[in-house]
Amino acid sequence: MVGRRLVGRPTLVAGRASRSARITTICKVHKVCVLPGDGIGPEIMDVATKALTVAGSKEGEEFEYKYCLIGGAAIDATGKPLPDETLATAKESDAVLLAAIGGYKWDALPSAQRPERGLLAIRAGLNAFANLRPAIVPRQLADSSPLKRELVEGVDILIVRELVGGIYFGQPRGFGTNEKGERIGFNTDVYSEPEVERIARVAFEAARKRGKRLCSVEKSNVLEVSQLWKEVVIRVGKDYPDVELSHMYIDNAAMQLLRNPKYFDVIVTGNIFGDILSDEASMLAGSLGLLPSASISGGGPGIYEPVHGSAPDIAGKDIANPLAMVLSAAMMCRYDLSIPKVADRLEAAVNAVLDAGLRTGDIYKEAPGTRLVKCSEMGAELMKHL
């Protein structure tokens, strides 16, 4: 099964209550900023928006989609990875649905002008500081994992990653020359106490809604920034006596995710460690093509996107897996739009196509009852179940 456990948005600030309290029996037009992006993005976004529209219509919900440019597509059209118009539209929306960014075409650009800068900029522009990445192994795909079935069947992990701080945003950064005249590159990993506290509270709230277990991952035996992180998390933990708090170094956590993934319920960690662990955890299911993510803030719209990248090598071939994009739309319905019945319909449709043995190439394993399908075929089958 997909789409379990964390069924409500973690409490961030009191001002968010009005959004959660919406009466969904009254039809509302939900404004969604749609960012197809690059590579396979337009293909999977097409499937997701069609599925979302149909699922919404069954529950009396309507969506107003505003399509904007980001990443490489924006660079080609405007010279900027995040045009001002895109950010303005995102801020005026109820939520942002993003497919994928980047590609080989733009690899030679200076780092400040590359497509990925658009993603970092929209996260910062919306103050989307908390990234929620579920790593769930659907029972239908337990045999597709590179690990043994008994290790991964039933795995249900939520990784809460701090998203707008740490080494990806810290200053100073750049290139220079050392005292020997050698060229160097440098970055700064920095967190303030308030930044750590707010992400810790999101993680504790999430753990409280799940298995009441939270593991904080850092490298406090070496890094001062991790020592501060651990100190603040312990302090915040005193406000959540019902949640069991543990601590783990990043290198051990990376090993335990493969050795004993069922140990984890909720993981909270910084930007770079979260980036690595969430990608590693996603492969427990054998593919990135099934895992959604949410990047949320304390007040404005969240960003909902698949964990996978733009896959430029298969773009336009109609072989991409659209299911993570559809599940990202489901997360959007739960967390930002407060229409859980629409999310239920989308998740049920995904489970139905998996139960029917339909597989795109990334999750296909020849076995009785399974059938290899294209992206468009998977979309058509989803529509049947919706």
Side-chain angles (χ1 to χ4, degrees):
M1 297 289 287
V2 295
R4 303 194 303 273
R5 301 285 294 277
L6 185 57
V7 296
R9 181 173 185 156
T11 303
L12 300 183
V13 294
R16 199 60 172 169
S18 61
R19 176 172 292 202
S20 299
R22 288 175 180 156
I23 301 174
T24 57
T25 55
I26 298 176
C27 180
K28 178 186 184 300
V29 177
H30 305 279
K31 296 181 179 179
V32 180
C33 177
V34 179
L35 306 176
D38 309 316
I40 62 172
E43 302 167 56
I44 61 174
M45 184 65 80
D46 182 61
V47 172
T49 51
K50 287 178 178 177
L52 181 59
T53 299
V54 172
S57 69
K58 298 295 184 181
E59 298 295 338
E61 304 290 345
E62 296 183 13
F63 300 92
E64 177 185 308
Y65 302 123
K66 290 190 176 181
Y67 287 77
C68 296
L69 297 172
I70 193 171
I75 292 171
D76 289 347
T78 70
K80 299 170 63 177
L82 181 66
D84 295 340
E85 179 183 356
T86 297
L87 183 57
T89 300
K91 288 181 176 180
E92 294 170 358
S93 302
D94 295 316
V96 177
L97 200 56
L98 169 66
I101 286 178
Y104 310 130
K105 178 181 179 181
W106 304 280
D107 281 353
L109 291 175
S111 60
Q113 300 173 23
R114 293 181 64 177
E116 292 77 10
R117 285 291 162 185
L119 180 58
L120 295 177
I122 196 169
R123 287 172 176 171
L126 296 179
N127 192 31
F129 69 88
N131 181 236
L132 310 181
R133 284 196 176 188
I136 298 170
V137 181
R139 55 175 172 72
Q140 305 97 326
L141 298 177
D143 289 327
S144 298
S145 173
L147 301 182
K148 293 180 180 179
R149 185 183 186 98
E150 57 266 28
L151 277 177
V152 300
E153 188 172 18
V155 164
D156 187 351
I157 303 168
L158 179 70
I159 297 179
V160 180
R161 167 190 170 193
E162 201 291 323
L163 204 58
V164 296
I167 200 166
Y168 291 168
F169 290 89
Q171 296 291 341
R173 62 184 296 157
F175 299 95
T177 305
N178 64 16
E179 63 278 3
K180 298 179 181 180
E182 301 164 334
R183 191 165 179 256
I184 61 171
F186 55 92
N187 297 86
T188 302
D189 194 1
V190 58
Y191 274 112
S192 67
E193 287 192 356
E195 287 175 325
V196 179
E197 179 172 347
R198 68 180 182 178
I199 193 66
R201 291 195 180 278
V202 170
F204 275 107
E205 291 287 346
R208 181 174 269 176
K209 292 179 173 71
R210 292 170 49 100
K212 301 186 185 303
R213 292 184 292 113
L214 176 63
C215 181
S216 175
V217 174
E218 27 73 6
K219 191 65 175 172
S220 56
N221 60 332
V222 175
L223 302 174
E224 285 79 4
V225 65
S226 286
Q227 292 166 15
L228 176 72
W229 178 283
K230 185 175 183 179
E231 175 188 321
V232 174
V233 170
I234 291 173
R235 185 175 72 235
V236 173
K238 294 178 181 178
D239 294 336
Y240 299 86
D242 55 323
V243 176
E244 177 188 336
L245 174 63
S246 61
H247 304 271
M248 194 174 291
Y249 297 147
I250 176 61
D251 42 358
N252 187 29
M255 179 180 68
Q256 295 302 328
L257 267 178
L258 300 179
R259 182 176 178 270
N260 185 23
K262 294 178 187 177
Y263 168 82
F264 298 102
D265 178 26
V266 179
I267 294 172
V268 63
T269 190
N271 207 339
I272 189 169
F273 296 159
D275 194 1
I276 296 167
L277 290 181
S278 56
D279 277 359
E280 180 188 0
S282 68
M283 289 310 297
L284 295 174
S287 171
L288 295 172
L290 277 172
L291 301 177
S293 74
S295 301
I296 60 178
S297 69
I303 306 169
Y304 298 85
E305 59 181 308
V307 170
H308 62 70
S310 63
D313 53 322
I314 64 170
K317 297 181 180 180
D318 195 26
I319 59 175
N321 186 343
L323 297 184
M325 188 77 251
V326 174
L327 292 173
S328 295
M331 287 187 78
M332 177 184 72
C333 291
R334 287 196 189 282
Y335 296 157
D336 261 9
L337 305 185
S338 296
I339 45 176
K341 290 183 178 180
V342 178
D344 288 343
R345 286 184 177 272
L346 292 170
E347 291 166 357
V350 170
N351 275 312
V353 296
L354 292 176
D355 283 340
L358 303 179
R359 307 284 189 267
T360 48
D362 59 309
I363 57 174
Y364 179 71
K365 184 177 182 180
E366 189 172 353
T370 61
R371 179 163 64 92
L372 181 64
V373 297
K374 295 183 177 181
C375 178
S376 58
E377 290 177 293
M378 184 69 85
E381 292 296 325
L382 282 168
M383 299 297 279
K384 290 179 183 179
H385 291 286
L386 286 169

